[in-house]
Amino acid sequence: GGGGGGGTSAFLSGGAGAGANGQVLITYEQALIHHIELSHSGSGITCQSSPVTVKACMDASCSALSSDPVTVTLSPSGWIGGDTFTFTGSTTRNLAITTAQTVTLGVTSSNPATSDPTLCRIGGGSASTSACGLQFYSSLLSMTVPTQVAGKDSGTIKLRAIATDPASSQCVPAFSNTTRTVYFERTLQSPTAAAATALASVRVNGT
């Protein structure tokens, strides 16, 4: 494995290759983690925790994950189950923030250590150090979108207007018994708009 992260030693008595004292020293080194990757949705609400996927990456592209346990401490404080935990390869943790704000996700410590800075992904975007901001709102419009096949109508998209109740801090409907107008927009992620040969139109209820 790589350097760093410390190691343990074992002595074997006698046998070929033994030193003058009849012992062979074998040192086991822990592999250095390349970086920790944090994947999140980019937004959350203060009345419920927001899931974040944590990966221990062994290379720059995160195509290989650590097969050994890794202990990390995440920031900011507020992770369900504790800010410090041990996992192997990949896991999902939930962050609870009760005040509307934008927090910066990060790793304050890692054992084994990492050789490179923590990277983040928002949705299916690229991993970067600039994608670690997770914004928590006191109210938001939630969309549940089923798996979409290009060129075909989607299944039913569910919309929920959610707000945080100031008294109980629970999620409650943002409004009721009223009609609101919702405007949709779309962003092309892959390929990028500059690389696309044509931009497909998006229709809602046939229009």
Side-chain angles (χ1 to χ4, degrees):
T8 50
S9 300
F11 288 96
L12 299 179
S13 298
N21 60 358
Q23 294 179 323
V24 176
L25 175 63
I26 302 175
T27 301
Y28 301 94
E29 293 287 345
Q30 281 186 305
L32 194 69
I33 304 298
H34 187 275
H35 69 277
I36 300 296
E37 183 178 288
L38 306 175
S39 299
H40 59 99
S41 65
S43 63
I45 189 167
T46 53
C47 58
Q48 64 185 24
S49 60
S50 186
V52 176
T53 300
V54 185
K55 294 182 178 180
C57 304
M58 301 302 293
D59 53 30
S61 64
C62 205
S63 60
L65 301 179
S66 174
S67 59
D68 295 320
V70 178
T71 299
V72 295
T73 300
L74 300 184
S75 61
S77 182
W79 296 89
I80 304 300
D83 301 341
T84 301
F85 57 93
T86 300
F87 71 104
T88 300
S90 176
T91 188
T92 298
R93 306 288 286 191
N94 286 274
L95 176 63
I97 298 295
T98 58
T99 303
Q101 60 182 297
T102 298
V103 299
T104 300
L105 305 180
V107 178
T108 57
S109 66
S110 173
N111 183 26
T114 60
S115 62
D116 283 57
T118 299
L119 300 180
C120 299
R121 293 181 189 268
I122 299 177
S126 300
S128 70
T129 56
S130 62
C132 293
L134 176 53
Q135 187 166 3
F136 282 84
Y137 298 91
S138 59
S139 62
L140 53 73
L141 188 66
S142 171
M143 300 177 62
T144 302
V145 182
T147 300
Q148 176 66 40
V149 178
K152 295 185 177 181
D153 290 342
S154 72
T156 300
I157 297 176
K158 296 181 179 180
L159 300 180
R160 297 175 61 211
I162 309 172
T164 303
D165 182 85
S168 66
S169 298
Q170 299 297 308
C171 292
V172 296
F175 52 84
S176 60
N177 301 320
T178 185
T179 300
R180 299 291 177 92
T181 300
V182 177
Y183 296 92
F184 288 89
E185 66 178 13
R186 61 106 168 97
T187 300
L188 190 62
Q189 288 190 337
S190 179
T192 61
T197 56
L199 295 180
S201 60
V202 177
R203 297 180 300 168
V204 178
N205 289 342
T207 61

